[in-house]
Amino acid sequence: MNVREERSVATSLSSDKNFDVVNTSVEKIDGYALVKGKPVFTDDFDVPDSLIVKILRSPHAHAIVKNVDASKALELSGVACVLTYKDVPRIAFTRAGQGYPEPSPYDTFVLDKKVRYVGDAVAIVAAESEEIARKALKLIKVEYDVLDNIIDYEHAMDENAPIIHDESEISGAYDPKHNIASHYEMHFGDVDEELSKCDVTTEKTFYTPNQSHAMMEPHAAISYFDANGRLTIITSTQVPYHVRRIIKRIFGVESRVIKPRIGGGFGGKQAVHVEAYVTAVTLKTGRPARCIYTRKETMTASNTRHAMRFKIRVGADKDANLRVIDMQGLSNTGAYGEHALTTFMVAGSKTLPLYNKVNAVRFMGDIVYTNTESAGAFRGYGAPQGAFALDCALDELAHKLGMDPVEFKLKNSIREGETSPVFKVMGEGREGVEQIVGSCKIEECAIEGAKLFNWHEKRERQRIEGTKAHGYGVAFAMQGSSIPAIDMGGATIKMNDDGTFNLMIGATDLGTGSDTILAQIAAEALHTSVGKFVVYSSDTDVTPFDKGAYASSTTYVSGNATKRAAERMAREILKAASEITGESVEKLHLENGKVISKSGKSLTYSEIQTQLFYTFKQRQLEVTESFVSEVSPPPYMVTFAEIEIDLETGKVDVMSMLNYVDCGTPINPLLARGQVEGASSQGIGMALYEEHIFDKNGRMVTDDFFTYKVPSRDDIKKITVKFADSYEPTGPFGAKSVSEIGLDTPGPVIANAIFDAVGIRVNRLPIKSEDLYFKLNERGLTP
Amino acid sequence: MSYSFISPRDEKELKEEISAPGSFTMSGGTDLLVKIRMGKISPQKIVSTSKISTLHFIDENDDEIVIGSTITHAELLEYKPLREAFPVLFDAIYTIGSPQIRNRGTLVGNVMNASPAGDGLLALYLLDAKIEISNGDAVNIDEFVVSPGRTILPKGEYVKSIHIPKSKWDHHYFEKVGQRNSMTISIVSIGWLIKCGSEAIENLRIAFGSVAPTILRLKDVEKFSKGKKIDEKFVHVVSDMVKERVNPIDDVRGSAQYRKKLCSNLMYRMVEEGIKC
């Protein structure tokens, strides 16, 4: 196959769908409230008589808490309580908000007598005002027995390394005595034998960094007893149902969890952060308690992306057939093992199936504890880490073969109707599921993308001119849509006599627009408009269960649940109309908010529900449906990028980036584009700017936006997003996921473009100007 | 953390308020509030200059432009004659923070913050600006700023205005090198002004930011450049001179070694900019 041939990919839509509401860019249903600054976020809830909760945090990376003397703080007028590890249940749990039983180790306590990173919680203070709470923090005297620490994860398994988790209650960790939270290995075929048969091989080690979610809204929660004494928690979370379950596990108390509008999460809120602290205070004092993290706490004491190292070996024969991939990894889970195993596995399971024609694959490694902020879920969830190593290695292999990397990657990638053994072997924390790929337009993404980007013409250009170098890179990616056979979501639809519907979902809109796209799906199935849906998400006392917003699952899982519920509601409406009109259901159909009969008669939804309320076979039409995925259809993406390097400073600018995406039917093209652009931006941040710098005691120096640089608008320049004409047979109206995949490519595409420009293979993110400058300098490329 | 906040109506009231111990004078607050939040300072009293009408002015005559101490960056950018008279100052101010910061922050605040990375400050060094103090003194900018965060402003006094003498230049340049493109603190910043004679440089001024405790004007390089032609050879020589004279430190933004390299490399921009004289 030669992608340089003048050919086009057939782009016939494989379905006969003519959509009315789906696949249109309707306005976000909460957009106006947000731009008008309406009180929608957790911190906007005014619960009268609330205590303000602050957390006393450890200044040491690793220490035993010998004594906490809070007497001075308690003497301060307005201090309601100071809680230490002696005052909270000693129940080991994981903060990871995952399905039950969680694949993460139970290695965390609300408060412990040992602190494991700078920022770990030592005491909970509750006071009448923030000022008093801050004063009280300063009056608490803590005696520490400071221990040796591990900051660099490459030394976590050293012979004399201190043991970070020596508590007896720990469970589910692989080998805590050697600081190994989790371990994983899989293989098929014999990688060493295959490598020995290859004509061309490449071996290299790649590093990806920690990264902060940097969501606008910090972590926040408020707890109180309602009038009947039921514990209620309002929290900025992606996982309200998991929060309810974990709070029950820790405190043995039933609760109601309300998730208002979330101001961004990116995986950072797929965990229990603040909820346990406010709950402890409300249970102790009986009073409402509110805790809003500062930016510094959000940066240093919540979650970060798992930093990973991969030693990768790949090999191909002289005909450019990729034969073998071997990835040996090491992942830094920080102080606690949240999402330790699963993020590591995703580094393989959401990258390796892309190249399904290999004879042998091995993927293995350890996930280790260190005395740094706990890593957790972060958009991409391991896939960006794996993709950086894999895509860069394949780029290098293509170069060694003297082949266009687009051609090499495309030749070896998966196609519609094919499968990969990796799907079955690797799930999340356990075995995966077999699946045949039902939609895959990677050929369109690569070939049409190359044309759109002018790939072939650009590669003929001079790379170095004067003091500037230009380079052109390509990266391929896949992701998943939900965690198959685990993720479940529900949707309830209730019809009202004014012709509106309540759509109640446990799915958690964290800025993604899921409330809007789920309304679009329901409106499509019920032949009405988005404006007829009153969307409510989510409240564990009101809405049906949903696993939460993670793993690129909401469109696929919650979307399918919503579609099912809407289709059942459609049947209920037809049945009621048939009873009212006396005409058989077969002669009726739904159109534009009405039931129309072949005889020409019509009844509006409003007329039907009004009759059902007051005059005819009285009942409330309401349905609940659930969906659990059997497969996890991957979206695919090919990214092209042009970069410019200033040879006098080493500074890299991403001049343009084209993302050609196969996400099935984009339910809302504008919102889908926003997802890809946002993920690309976060990926550019990870590739070029964002860095956690620690001092020698393990304190994060880059703990604010002054020092931690997320990309600004000027750094993003031009991102183009193009959607392939694709239809996923198992998805709601043909949709797959789109929220995470955009983060997989910026790292490799920028590194590949740098290689293209100046022949330097960068193997570590972020690519700092200074480091690149000295590499350029070594090669004599600087003035 | 608690403090009183006072907003005097005139300069007389201002002078009384700022003489109290623990009082801090605030202009736009874009540096002061950040420092308070970081716990670097704990004021007992903040005295705002924002309501004092006699400090809010831009005056211009044949010899100079005078900028009152409550004039914001945004106001300066909108003041048309500034761009014509001092394009290097315009370019420097344009890179400060974000639009929100420029709407609050003032040029005098940038001077008082006395950061070695101060963007507006660098341009003022190049332009030989003078600081007019409330006691009537007028001090050259490079004598006014002492070290990071420190100036010679006596306690109980305030800055009334900045005087920038008008001077004619053929070329100007300002650049800051940061890891990202905006909202950034420079790893190194550079600015120059060049006046060409018939065949060679008649006059050159050059300054660097973030490479010494204050903005650094390299007067001996300036002297050396007089009468020289700008070509590869010239740039090569001054680039070496620059490397020897800058004295940067290692910090989270970059190493001293990298900064030195940047300073000397940035000299080559003279050739790249196509400056002929």
Side-chain angles (χ1 to χ4, degrees):
Chain A
M1 177 173 22
N2 184 352
V3 293
R4 301 208 58 168
E5 282 168 22
E6 270 308 308
R7 68 190 173 104
S8 293
V9 172
T11 53
S12 67
L13 193 61
S14 51
S15 73
D16 53 0
K17 300 288 180 201
N18 279 315
F19 300 123
D20 294 319
V21 191
V22 154
N23 200 22
T24 63
S25 296
V26 302
E27 282 176 2
K28 221 171 180 175
I29 59 175
D30 51 359
Y32 281 102
L34 291 170
V35 297
K36 286 198 263 180
K38 296 290 179 195
V40 296
F41 299 108
T42 298
D43 194 21
D44 295 326
F45 283 74
D46 182 19
V47 181
D49 204 27
S50 290
L51 291 167
I52 303 299
V53 175
K54 290 271 163 202
I55 309 301
L56 181 70
R57 299 189 177 278
S58 169
H60 303 293
H62 198 196
I64 302 289
V65 178
K66 274 168 73 182
N67 188 43
V68 182
D69 176 6
S71 54
K72 284 270 185 314
L74 287 165
E75 280 168 19
L76 194 65
S77 168
V79 173
C81 66
V82 176
L83 307 177
T84 70
Y85 68 89
K86 291 176 183 159
D87 305 302
V88 293
R90 187 155 180 85
I91 304 284
F93 70 105
T94 175
R95 297 195 304 180
Q98 299 176 288
Y100 181 81
E102 301 97 330
S104 298
Y106 287 170
D107 57 8
T108 307
F109 303 90
V110 178
L111 297 170
D112 197 359
K113 54 181 175 275
K114 189 178 187 190
V115 286
R116 297 179 178 83
Y117 70 99
V118 176
D120 213 349
V122 177
I124 306 167
V125 172
E128 300 296 338
S129 74
E130 180 158 348
E131 196 182 343
I132 299 170
R134 281 184 195 281
K135 273 189 188 148
L137 285 180
K138 288 189 181 146
L139 293 172
I140 300 170
K141 295 276 167 280
V142 187
E143 273 180 63
Y144 295 98
D145 194 354
V146 178
L147 307 171
D148 288 346
N149 63 44
I150 308 162
I151 306 301
D152 181 351
Y153 71 106
E154 292 191 273
H155 292 289
M157 294 189 291
D158 284 0
E159 204 161 320
N160 296 317
I163 300 170
I164 295 171
H165 283 276
D166 48 6
E167 69 274 13
S168 59
E169 296 92 338
I170 190 169
S171 67
Y174 179 74
D175 183 6
K177 294 279 172 288
H178 296 96
N179 293 322
I180 306 175
S182 257
H183 172 85
Y184 180 76
E185 55 185 276
M186 64 76 87
H187 76 275
F188 58 82
D190 184 329
V191 290
D192 290 313
E193 195 189 320
E194 278 299 328
L195 277 162
S196 70
K197 288 193 222 156
C198 286
D199 299 307
V200 191
T201 60
T202 257
E203 175 180 332
K204 214 155 210 116
T205 302
F206 290 91
Y207 293 84
T208 51
N210 289 129
Q211 186 182 19
S212 289
H213 303 80
M215 69 294 267
M216 292 296 284
E217 183 201 21
H219 300 283
I222 305 167
S223 62
Y224 59 95
F225 288 121
D226 74 7
N228 299 316
R230 178 164 173 73
L231 178 69
T232 306
I233 304 170
I234 303 171
T235 175
S236 177
T237 185
Q238 295 172 226
V239 286
Y241 291 86
H242 298 333
V243 168
R244 182 178 70 175
R245 191 191 73 235
I246 295 167
I247 290 294
K248 171 84 195 242
R249 172 182 168 83
I250 301 169
F251 296 101
V253 58
E254 286 94 37
S255 66
R256 169 187 184 184
V257 177
I258 299 169
K259 171 226 72 94
R261 184 59 162 73
I262 304 303
F266 309 116
K269 292 170 180 169
Q270 196 198 335
V272 171
H273 292 295
V274 194
E275 296 89 343
Y277 302 135
V278 288
T279 298
V281 169
T282 294
L283 293 179
K284 178 82 176 180
T285 63
R287 300 210 15 214
R290 111 182 353 251
C291 181
I292 315 294
Y293 270 15
T294 60
R295 179 56 59 186
K296 184 176 170 180
E297 283 178 302
T298 301
M299 292 293 289
T300 60
S302 62
N303 279 147
T304 168
R305 184 186 293 286
H306 289 80
M308 292 189 197
R309 179 190 78 191
F310 278 104
K311 183 181 147 195
I312 185 166
R313 298 188 295 167
V314 290
D317 63 24
K318 59 182 180 335
D319 299 321
N321 295 302
L322 182 65
R323 294 183 65 139
V324 51
I325 304 171
D326 180 25
M327 294 175 78
Q328 298 174 57
L330 182 71
S331 171
N332 178 12
T333 193
Y336 301 96
E338 288 148 48
H339 303 272
L341 174 62
T342 40
T343 47
F344 185 72
M345 288 180 72
V346 165
S349 66
K350 304 271 168 75
T351 57
L352 295 168
L354 191 51
Y355 301 102
N356 64 331
K357 299 177 177 57
V358 292
N359 298 330
V361 166
R362 184 169 67 166
F363 184 88
M364 60 179 287
D366 296 301
I367 305 94
V368 294
Y369 289 119
T370 59
N371 295 113
T372 58
E373 181 181 21
S374 185
F378 195 141
R379 196 178 200 178
Y381 204 80
Q385 293 95 313
F388 180 58
L390 179 57
D391 195 86
C392 288
L394 295 184
D395 203 76
E396 186 146 311
L397 208 52
H399 179 75
K400 284 186 180 175
L401 286 158
M403 195 171 177
D404 179 343
V406 176
E407 200 173 326
F408 177 65
K409 289 171 190 174
L410 184 59
K411 175 186 166 79
N412 289 288
S413 59
I414 197 165
R415 294 290 183 278
E416 213 160 88
E418 295 180 358
T419 187
S420 159
V422 177
F423 287 134
K424 172 87 176 95
V425 179
M426 296 180 85
E428 281 200 9
R430 60 181 195 189
E431 270 207 345
V433 295
E434 275 182 60
Q435 63 176 342
I436 305 290
V437 169
S439 59
C440 175
K441 303 297 175 198
I442 201 143
E443 284 180 280
E444 180 186 337
C445 295
I447 295 169
E448 297 302 314
K451 284 183 198 165
L452 213 56
F453 185 76
N454 270 332
W455 172 255
H456 302 297
E457 184 268 319
K458 280 182 174 157
R459 277 165 56 84
E460 301 296 323
R461 294 184 191 171
Q462 174 96 13
R463 300 302 202 280
I464 298 179
E465 277 179 304
T467 59
K468 298 280 195 289
H470 285 251
Y472 311 97
V474 65
F476 281 44
M478 62 169 281
Q479 195 78 28
S481 302
S482 80
I483 306 171
I486 293 178
D487 277 355
M488 191 274 275
T492 296
I493 297 177
K494 176 163 77 75
M495 186 153 100
N496 301 315
D497 57 344
D498 57 5
T500 64
F501 297 88
N502 293 106
L503 171 59
M504 287 173 289
I505 39 184
T508 308
D509 191 332
L510 56 151
T512 51
S514 67
D515 284 353
T516 305
I517 66 116
L518 294 175
Q520 284 182 265
I521 289 170
E524 183 74 42
L526 276 162
H527 300 269
T528 182
S529 61
V530 168
K532 294 292 180 193
F533 286 85
V534 181
V535 184
Y536 186 61
S537 73
S538 32
D539 177 338
T540 57
D541 272 8
V542 180
T543 51
F545 175 84
D546 190 290
K547 77 286 156 210
Y550 56 82
S552 285
S553 62
T554 300
T555 301
Y556 188 72
V557 171
S558 314
N560 265 319
T562 301
K563 181 163 177 273
R564 276 189 184 174
E567 285 167 350
R568 200 168 123 207
M569 176 56 83
R571 292 195 296 275
E572 292 289 325
I573 293 170
L574 287 169
K575 185 169 157 241
S578 161
E579 289 166 1
I580 292 167
T581 60
E583 296 198 47
S584 70
V585 168
E586 290 72 38
K587 293 194 170 132
L588 303 173
H589 75 279
L590 305 183
E591 193 183 310
N592 199 17
K594 295 190 201 83
V595 179
I596 313 245
S597 92
K598 285 196 173 144
S599 63
K601 277 186 283 187
S602 77
L603 270 173
T604 65
Y605 293 171
S606 170
E607 287 164 343
I608 293 168
Q609 189 60 64
T610 303
Q611 288 204 40
L612 294 181
F613 275 177
Y614 301 109
T615 56
F616 181 81
K617 285 196 173 178
Q618 283 159 274
R619 64 190 191 271
Q620 167 72 61
L621 292 191
E622 182 177 62
V623 298
T624 296
E625 282 286 353
S626 314
F627 180 83
V628 60
S629 52
E630 289 165 8
V631 290
S632 176
Y636 301 91
M637 179 164 94
V638 177
T639 299
F640 298 85
E642 173 177 352
I643 59 111
E644 181 182 275
I645 306 171
D646 185 331
L647 298 173
E648 289 174 334
T649 64
K651 189 167 184 312
V652 176
D653 273 318
V654 182
M655 307 307 285
S656 72
M657 190 181 259
L658 167 66
N659 292 307
Y660 211 118
V661 189
D662 166 10
C663 64
T665 307
I667 300 289
N668 185 316
L670 185 66
L671 294 180
R673 200 179 88 200
Q675 287 292 304
V676 179
E677 289 171 347
S680 288
S681 309
Q682 275 184 313
I684 290 172
M686 178 182 168
L688 294 176
Y689 309 114
E690 299 178 36
E691 190 181 26
H692 287 175
I693 300 173
F694 295 92
D695 71 12
K696 61 181 191 318
N697 300 317
R699 184 184 72 86
M700 193 196 294
V701 179
T702 46
D703 60 3
D704 56 21
F705 288 146
F706 200 61
T707 48
Y708 185 83
K709 304 287 187 193
V710 297
S712 70
R713 182 64 191 84
D714 282 348
D715 302 306
I716 303 305
K717 306 208 192 292
K718 187 179 166 210
I719 297 178
T720 309
V721 179
K722 181 95 176 123
F723 292 108
D725 199 351
S726 172
Y727 189 91
E728 167 55 38
T730 66
F733 299 112
K736 298 188 280 190
S737 86
V738 72
S739 57
E740 295 186 276
I741 190 164
L743 234 158
D744 297 341
T745 55
V749 86
I750 292 169
N752 293 340
I754 290 173
F755 180 79
D756 180 70
V758 291
I760 293 170
R761 176 60 65 187
V762 173
N763 70 334
R764 190 186 290 269
L765 304 181
I767 303 160
K768 294 173 71 176
S769 307
E770 175 167 351
D771 298 339
L772 185 60
Y773 174 78
F774 284 111
K775 284 195 177 111
L776 291 164
N777 194 251
E778 276 169 32
R779 301 236 176 168
L781 291 167
T782 57
Chain B
M1 175 182 53
S2 76
Y3 48 80
S4 57
F5 181 87
I6 291 151
S7 198
R9 298 277 161 178
D10 56 46
E11 294 188 53
K12 184 169 166 284
E13 203 187 326
L14 172 67
K15 193 134 188 189
E16 284 161 16
E17 294 292 351
I18 59 174
S19 51
S23 79
F24 280 77
T25 312
M26 178 175 118
S27 187
T30 54
D31 288 312
L32 190 72
L33 297 189
V34 174
K35 284 181 188 165
I36 293 173
R37 230 184 56 157
M38 288 169 83
K40 283 190 177 169
I41 54 172
S42 355
Q44 288 161 25
K45 183 164 75 172
I46 292 178
V47 185
S48 165
T49 56
S50 64
K51 295 242 167 77
I52 302 169
S53 56
T54 51
L55 297 177
H56 195 82
F57 67 91
I58 304 176
D59 276 344
E60 193 182 352
N61 58 42
D62 289 347
D63 303 323
E64 61 176 11
I65 289 184
V66 186
I67 298 164
S69 72
T70 62
I71 295 294
T72 64
H73 300 307
E75 284 168 332
L76 280 172
L77 293 177
E78 281 162 22
Y79 181 68
K80 293 253 157 49
L82 181 92
R83 189 170 198 169
E84 286 155 31
F86 311 121
V88 74
L89 179 61
F90 181 92
D91 288 357
I93 291 174
Y94 197 77
T95 68
I96 294 176
S98 60
Q100 293 92 326
I101 297 288
R102 293 195 292 270
N103 281 336
R104 290 283 318 173
T106 63
L107 190 57
V108 166
N110 200 244
V111 171
M112 286 306 299
N113 195 44
S115 162
D119 300 310
L121 198 53
L122 187 142
L124 294 177
Y125 268 69
L126 282 177
L127 293 164
D128 283 343
K130 275 191 160 53
I131 305 301
E132 184 187 342
I133 302 175
S134 49
N135 61 12
D137 288 353
V139 184
N140 287 338
I141 184 80
D142 57 350
E143 288 160 20
F144 184 77
V145 176
V146 182
S147 60
R150 284 192 55 224
T151 66
I152 60 151
L153 186 73
K155 181 71 193 163
E157 303 292 342
Y158 56 91
V159 173
K160 281 174 89 85
S161 64
I162 301 173
H163 294 248
I164 313 176
K166 287 187 175 172
S167 49
K168 281 266 170 250
W169 301 91
D170 296 311
H171 303 282
H172 70 276
Y173 190 75
F174 176 81
E175 180 178 352
K176 61 186 198 185
V177 180
Q179 184 74 19
R180 93 185 152 178
N181 287 321
S182 66
M183 290 286 291
T184 199
I185 312 283
S186 50
I187 300 172
V188 160
S189 54
I190 182 175
W192 69 62
L193 295 168
I194 297 172
K195 188 170 168 52
C196 295
S198 55
E199 286 280 292
I201 296 171
E202 185 180 313
N203 207 352
L204 175 143
R205 290 184 192 164
I206 184 157
F208 289 92
S210 298
V211 295
T214 63
I215 299 289
L216 192 64
R217 268 279 292 276
L218 295 181
K219 298 218 167 154
D220 54 347
V221 173
E222 294 175 2
K223 214 174 191 176
F224 169 83
S225 304
K226 270 187 191 161
K228 302 281 189 315
K229 224 175 136 50
I230 296 182
D231 54 20
E232 286 274 359
K233 203 180 115 218
F234 165 76
V235 171
H236 197 72
V237 175
V238 277
S239 142
D240 278 348
M241 289 176 77
V242 163
K243 212 182 321 183
E244 276 165 32
R245 281 156 182 79
V246 296
N247 185 25
I249 53 163
D250 292 318
D251 69 10
V252 292
R253 297 197 295 277
S255 69
Q257 192 197 4
Y258 178 52
R259 287 188 154 112
K260 272 192 178 236
K261 283 275 187 192
L262 282 178
C263 291
S264 67
N265 286 354
L266 287 169
M267 294 313 298
Y268 287 86
R269 301 285 209 233
M270 273 187 197
V271 181
E272 286 148 40
E273 291 288 300
I275 300 174
K276 298 259 188 303
C277 74

